[in-house]
Amino acid sequence: MCGIIGYIGNDSATDIVVDGLKKLEYRGYDSAGVGVIEDGKLRVIKKKGRVKNTEEAIPKTLKSTIGIGHTRWATHGAPSDKNSHPHISQNIAVVHNGIIENYACLKKELESEGVVFTSETDTEVIPHLINKIISNSMSDTDNIKCEIFYFHSILKAIRKLSGSYALAILNTDFPDLIVCVKRGSPLVVSKSNTASFIASDVGVASKHGGEIFILDDDELALIKKGEVNFFDTRGREKKKNSIVYEKEENSDELGNNAHHMLKEIKEIPSAIHETVIGVKKCFFNLEKNKLKKIKKIVLVGCGTAYHAGLSAKTVLEKFTKIPSYVEVASEFRYSNPLIGKETLVVLISQSGETADTLAALELAKKKRALTLAVVNNTTSAIALGADSRIITRAKKEIAVASTKAYNSQLVALYSFALYLADIKQTMPQDQINALKEMLLNLPKAAREVIESGLDKINSDIIKIFKDEKAIMFLGRGIDYATASEASLKLKEITYIHCSAYPAGELKHGTIALIENNYLVVAYLTDSTLKDKTLNALYEVKARGAKVFAITNQDLPKDAYDYIYEVPRLGILSPIASIIPMQIISYLTAVAKEIDPDKPRNLAKSVTVE
Ligand code: G6P
């Protein structure tokens, strides 16, 4: 959700800010903007649409070494030039990620004092508020160019805001200073001897070398060239340690691939391999004694991460005999959940920054539950905030539709279920060992599914999906979880209405949708439920549906119209059986001329509620 960049150094600020925005575009791509100070004057260029629109509008002659930038996912106000950031009030420019929840009331107050607003955003109140506080509290003896006075005016303004924000603030009265502050939305600062850099994620901030600092909530940073000082919101200076960050090589490069999504599907085998190997190290750090006492597990996540939880629930209950529940994070956080010391709350998140999942973590901690983060980003708020963490080693995922992160989440969660079964002795040791061995062989199985998929999913198969208006996905048990993720994948990047149902629930309403030629995708990999799912296939076929079965079972020919075979991997099957639909979704989006990496209205990292 919205990306923020800032730079102060010796090089061209517009070049560096634009380059950073391109790397953060996965966070939102409704519009973009850049604000710099050139010869003491504020220059702001902002355009609706992708970063390249803003880039093309920047005059080649513009010279500046200090600037801020923003790539937007619209919350308040439609995507347009005027609603793009930075937002300005005279000499002050602000970029913002988050939502100012009391903006309407602040706007009313400011308007009553004569302020004229030029956008429909919540953000615009911030620069006006700072300016108003400066002018209202300045006495005849105050110097408008006094840094301490400016700093305290920002602190006063911040205290009036409620909601979430990561802000970078530029002011022509201080042409060598950017002020940053955050609450609830991520912000990272890096500094070398000659420059300082601000970004919404560590990966992008680290590109410029030097020391890296992750801002905490209610922390303020005064950033100059090669110098950063941190303060709390009462204005007291804070000492802050830089973090150690292992840089990922070439994660932004497409190589021979047309899109990041395709590249990321091809990276599934290595993501699985790295995760299987890496989780062992994570288990050393888990608190065995506390885990042994756990009586209930709640898995929480959003989108794809929620579906990983849905899949893991079945496995956890089977392996550990501990009652396990799955909740969408946005529901969990307001549900007053019945959890306590003997509950393990597992927070699943690729980015580790999703606002609802982060709030779920805070709630779980408040209720004294044991918290475990399953995250792909080691330096994220969820990773750092949980009692313990298991890292999915999928490396950076850029395409908005998650692929390799999902397969890695399944691997991490299934491995954790085995670990828990081991320490609680709820499964025979030989079965645990056999499953561990199978996990090690999974990358090979996944590679085969991907290679054969990219070979055999041709235009004939894509034709089955491409022009459909609605598609139903069915499955039972763990196959329902896979069907749910498959349905999400296809809908988010092809805009076809897809929904998933437990196969047995069909006849309680959903079957009314079925008519001649309605496409039903059926997942069937759990042999124990085969006959039951088959009943559902016959029921929809009897009403004219076309059935596309994804299975590793022998099915009677009259139960389907198309069959896609996946490997028999027992309870681990979902890790491979999702792959055909990841590939079909990708190729269908391409066939429909939709950018699969940046589907409309979505963002990779949702840092607002
Ligand atoms: C967004 C993304 C999804 C992702 C979800 C949760 O909606 O578009 O792909 O699954 O957020 O993200 P997280 O980073 O918490 O896994």
Side-chain angles (χ1 to χ4, degrees):
M1 205 107 316
C2 301
I4 288 180
I5 291 285
Y7 171 79
I8 318 172
N10 299 323
D11 298 324
S12 160
T14 44
D15 289 353
I16 292 174
V17 169
V18 166
D19 182 61
L21 288 181
K22 285 182 184 164
K23 296 198 169 81
L24 285 183
E25 213 174 5
Y26 72 90
R27 301 180 75 89
Y29 32 84
D30 287 333
S31 67
V34 172
V36 298
I37 299 176
E38 185 190 39
D39 297 331
K41 290 201 183 72
L42 202 55
R43 301 285 304 271
V44 169
I45 300 103
K46 47 188 197 174
K47 290 275 164 227
K48 182 182 166 181
R50 302 283 164 90
V51 173
K52 72 171 174 21
N53 298 356
T54 300
E55 183 181 23
E56 283 163 11
I58 297 173
K60 296 277 168 290
T61 49
L62 188 58
K63 296 250 172 314
S64 172
T65 53
I66 177 167
I68 54 177
H70 187 267
T71 173
R72 179 170 188 244
W73 185 85
T75 59
H76 296 63
S80 65
D81 290 357
K82 75 170 183 210
N83 286 336
S84 310
H85 300 217
H87 287 284
I88 313 157
S89 175
Q90 296 166 29
N91 49 326
I92 294 178
V94 170
V95 289
H96 168 218
N97 171 23
I99 293 179
I100 304 304
E101 286 169 358
N102 59 339
Y103 86 99
C105 159
L106 292 171
K107 189 170 176 175
K108 219 166 154 190
E109 265 177 45
L110 288 159
E111 279 175 334
S112 71
E113 291 188 56
V115 172
V116 177
F117 280 77
T118 57
S119 79
E120 296 141 0
T121 64
D122 53 334
T123 304
E124 201 188 337
V125 296
I126 303 168
H128 290 310
L129 190 60
I130 299 170
N131 251 334
K132 240 332 164 224
I133 288 171
I134 292 175
S135 53
N136 287 353
S137 51
M138 211 170 58
S139 69
D140 291 345
T141 51
D142 282 326
N143 174 3
I144 198 154
K145 299 212 171 170
C146 166
E147 204 172 284
I148 298 185
F149 180 67
Y150 173 50
F151 170 67
H152 281 278
S153 303
I154 290 178
L155 288 179
K156 280 187 199 159
I158 295 310
R159 282 187 212 118
K160 283 183 167 268
L161 304 179
S162 61
S164 60
Y165 45 84
L167 303 173
I169 308 164
L170 206 57
N171 182 340
T172 53
D173 286 334
F174 305 93
D176 58 353
L177 173 72
I178 298 176
V179 181
C180 280
V181 59
K182 84 141 217 146
R183 173 183 285 182
S185 304
L187 206 54
V188 183
V189 179
S190 69
K191 81 167 176 80
S192 63
N193 290 334
T194 52
S196 299
F197 191 77
I198 300 151
S200 295
D201 81 36
V202 185
V204 174
S206 72
K207 293 268 177 329
H208 291 262
E211 289 178 277
I212 300 172
F213 303 88
I214 297 179
L215 257 72
D216 292 324
D217 275 352
D218 296 319
E219 204 165 62
L220 204 118
L222 296 190
I223 302 163
K224 296 186 174 175
K225 186 163 80 178
E227 185 191 327
V228 185
N229 294 297
F230 299 95
F231 300 85
D232 65 18
T233 42
R234 291 173 69 185
R236 294 175 300 201
E237 188 151 7
K238 286 174 81 177
K239 210 177 145 24
K240 195 169 175 70
N241 294 327
S242 57
I243 59 146
V244 180
Y245 177 72
E246 237 176 83
K247 258 196 196 173
E248 276 179 27
E249 295 308 325
N250 296 329
S251 56
D252 298 335
E253 308 295 330
L254 275 172
N256 296 329
N257 304 292
H259 298 97
H260 285 288
M261 186 173 176
L262 177 60
K263 178 180 175 236
E264 287 159 10
I265 290 172
K266 290 181 185 168
E267 286 169 350
I268 289 171
S270 65
I272 295 176
H273 172 76
E274 297 290 328
T275 303
V276 175
I277 304 296
V279 283
K280 289 187 198 148
K281 288 183 210 146
C282 302
F283 293 157
F284 282 128
N285 300 318
L286 300 183
E287 294 187 82
K288 244 188 195 177
N289 287 337
K290 285 192 185 161
L291 282 176
K292 274 187 186 166
K293 291 185 194 135
I294 288 303
K295 298 219 162 48
K296 175 176 173 181
I297 300 175
V298 184
L299 301 128
V300 182
C302 302
T304 292
Y306 166 73
H307 294 147
L310 209 55
S311 198
K313 169 205 150 70
T314 311
V315 177
L316 275 162
E317 286 191 334
K318 201 174 174 108
F319 291 1
T320 68
K321 316 284 181 269
I322 305 172
S324 303
Y325 305 85
V326 203
E327 281 249 36
V328 170
S330 53
E331 291 293 321
F332 177 86
R333 65 183 289 189
Y334 295 115
S335 65
N336 196 12
L338 301 175
I339 57 173
K341 269 201 303 219
E342 292 182 336
T343 312
L344 173 69
V345 178
V346 183
L347 295 308
I348 310 163
S349 175
Q350 186 281 127
S351 63
E353 298 289 356
T354 302
D356 286 322
T357 315
L358 187 57
L361 167 65
E362 298 308 331
L363 178 65
K365 280 165 55 176
K366 212 160 113 194
K367 297 217 164 213
R368 294 163 172 264
L370 191 62
T371 56
L372 169 67
V374 175
V375 276
N376 199 35
N377 179 355
T378 46
T379 53
S380 59
I382 295 173
L384 299 175
D387 297 319
S388 49
R389 57 216 53 81
I390 296 177
I391 306 301
T392 53
R393 289 166 205 269
K395 301 216 171 116
K396 190 168 178 183
E397 199 178 57
I398 292 175
V400 164
S402 184
T403 52
K404 61 176 180 172
Y406 176 71
N407 303 68
S408 315
Q409 282 161 352
L410 294 187
V411 167
L413 289 160
Y414 292 7
S415 303
F416 173 66
L418 277 180
Y419 169 80
L420 210 53
D422 202 356
I423 62 171
K424 287 190 77 106
Q425 300 185 335
T426 46
M427 245 173 119
Q429 198 58 48
D430 56 338
Q431 259 186 48
I432 294 182
N433 293 343
L435 281 159
K436 281 186 181 164
E437 192 65 31
M438 276 177 77
L439 277 165
L440 286 171
N441 291 325
L442 268 179
K444 185 170 171 279
R447 186 166 299 112
E448 284 166 11
V449 179
I450 294 164
E451 280 169 7
S452 74
L454 289 173
D455 189 41
K456 74 178 182 209
I457 300 174
N458 54 20
S459 53
D460 288 341
I461 294 187
I462 298 308
K463 226 186 274 167
I464 301 170
F465 292 84
K466 187 174 163 265
D467 297 318
E468 292 297 329
K469 295 279 169 284
I471 301 175
M472 184 186 295
F473 287 73
L474 295 177
R476 266 179 191 262
I478 207 159
D479 283 326
Y480 167 61
T482 315
S484 302
E485 173 57 12
S487 161
L488 174 66
K489 216 49 28 199
L490 189 63
K491 96 176 99 184
E492 66 185 335
I493 57 171
T494 65
Y495 315 149
I496 298 169
H497 181 106
C498 299
S499 36
Y501 302 94
E505 187 62 12
L506 189 66
K507 49 194 167 300
H508 299 292
T510 314
I511 201 162
L513 296 173
I514 301 294
E515 55 187 359
N516 237 0
N517 285 325
Y518 197 109
L519 182 60
V520 174
V521 177
Y523 266 94
L524 212 165
T525 69
D526 182 347
S527 57
T528 62
L529 295 170
K530 176 178 163 184
D531 292 341
K532 300 292 165 199
T533 309
L534 270 176
N535 288 343
L537 301 199
Y538 283 122
E539 284 160 12
V540 292
K541 272 197 71 68
R543 289 161 178 86
K546 295 176 285 188
V547 171
F548 188 97
I550 300 177
T551 185
N552 52 20
Q553 304 293 308
D554 296 322
L555 302 188
K557 288 212 161 28
D558 58 348
Y560 60 84
D561 296 272
Y562 315 96
I563 189 158
Y564 197 103
E565 282 173 34
V566 286
R568 284 189 184 221
L569 299 167
I571 197 152
L572 306 183
S573 292
I575 299 167
S577 67
I578 187 63
I579 294 172
M581 276 316 301
Q582 290 170 328
I583 298 175
I584 288 172
S585 302
Y586 168 72
L587 292 173
T588 307
V590 173
K592 293 184 84 164
E593 296 182 6
I594 294 168
D595 179 351
D597 288 347
K598 295 189 181 72
R600 71 184 178 205
N601 305 340
L602 295 177
K604 182 76 183 158
S605 176
V606 182
T607 53
V608 293
E609 255 199 274

